[in-house]
Amino acid sequence: MKELFLPPELSCELGEIYRSMVTVYDEVAEEIPLTCTGCPDNCCDSYFLHHTYCEWAYLWEGIRALDDDRLDRIMQRARDYVAQSRQLIVRGKQPQLMCPLNESGLCGLYTHRMMICRTHGVPATLTRPDGQLLRFPGCFRCQEIVADSYPAATDAPAMDRTVLYQRLAQLETRFLGARRGSMPKIRLTIAEMIANGPPKDIKST
């Protein structure tokens, strides 16, 4: 099957969307205020699932730039993560395993980290296409700060993810083009996106 590469213009646009996410996140985090410094937890062991082919392809842009030794280590950690997480899921447990990209507590592919990695932490809102407003409380440390600082959780500032998600969805549509209807929906961890290799066009030979 033919590998799916992000065209340069879409890669640049996705990078700009990511930078916008970081800007909005930082504004909300500063207002709360929330910082990861000294936090006893590490969000890199959260069980995040990712859903877009464009992010998968962008992740592999970063992976291809790694030297062979780092790539081999990350690939092995990814395969170990996938095997362990499947065992936990079969036993009815949600995996809490360190992301294979984590190196000494930090993301080893920071500039190519994915949407959820960039938005997790601060409170957030999302307006669905049907008009329903969803609100997410943020990480445990953020919830503690909000509980101590605001009369109600809804009084705290929140990151509006709606426009950013819409931009990402539009980019995904442009990336897949005519193949969009034939490509299976994905729900993959970063480890699976690494272990499975880059995204491929299932219709190509």
Side-chain angles (χ1 to χ4, degrees):
M1 292 185 288
K2 183 179 178 181
E3 183 177 335
L4 294 176
F5 291 91
L6 269 179
E9 65 274 14
L10 294 188
S11 178
C12 290
E13 186 174 339
L14 182 53
E16 196 280 323
I17 293 172
Y18 279 160
R19 287 189 291 273
S20 296
M21 290 179 179
V22 172
T23 297
V24 178
Y25 180 100
D26 288 346
E27 290 172 352
V28 174
E30 183 177 0
E31 188 174 351
I32 284 178
L34 171 70
T35 174
C36 296
T37 302
C39 182
D41 195 12
N42 190 316
C43 295
C44 294
D45 67 3
S46 300
Y47 188 65
F48 291 143
L49 294 172
H50 309 272
H51 305 276
T52 59
Y53 284 94
C54 60
E55 287 193 285
W56 188 358
Y58 190 79
L59 178 71
W60 266 91
E61 284 187 8
I63 292 173
R64 289 191 196 91
L66 299 173
D67 61 59
D68 290 343
D69 287 342
R70 285 188 67 197
L71 177 58
D72 288 344
R73 290 197 301 271
I74 287 172
M75 289 294 293
Q76 185 58 56
R77 290 200 296 262
R79 289 190 288 265
D80 291 343
Y81 182 109
V82 171
Q84 293 173 35
S85 64
R86 288 177 179 171
Q87 291 175 2
L88 290 168
I89 291 171
V90 167
R91 287 154 47 191
K93 298 181 179 181
Q94 178 165 297
Q96 189 174 5
L97 304 168
M98 189 57 67
C99 175
L101 292 177
N102 187 282
E103 297 179 338
S104 301
L106 300 173
C107 180
L109 213 61
Y110 192 76
T111 58
H112 286 77
R113 70 194 191 282
M114 306 182 83
M115 172 191 68
I116 295 176
C117 305
R118 295 168 188 265
T119 59
H120 178 71
V122 299
T125 59
L126 175 67
T127 303
R128 301 193 333 179
D130 62 5
Q132 181 180 356
L133 177 67
L134 305 178
R135 187 176 178 97
F136 308 95
C139 66
F140 87 93
R141 192 177 199 186
C142 179
Q143 292 179 52
E144 290 176 349
I145 295 171
V146 167
D148 290 339
S149 305
Y150 296 89
T154 52
D155 294 328
M159 175 183 183
D160 187 352
R161 298 178 180 175
T162 307
V163 172
L164 295 168
Y165 280 24
Q166 289 172 344
R167 291 175 62 191
L168 184 62
Q170 291 165 2
L171 191 147
E172 175 81 343
T173 297
R174 288 157 54 202
F175 175 51
L176 294 180
R179 67 174 72 88
R180 181 178 177 86
S182 61
M183 297 291 285
K185 293 183 178 180
I186 56 174
R187 297 178 72 253
L188 300 173
T189 62
I190 285 177
E192 289 171 322
M193 288 180 165
I194 296 172
N196 292 350
K200 298 176 179 64
D201 184 349
I202 63 170
K203 297 187 69 175
S204 64
T205 56

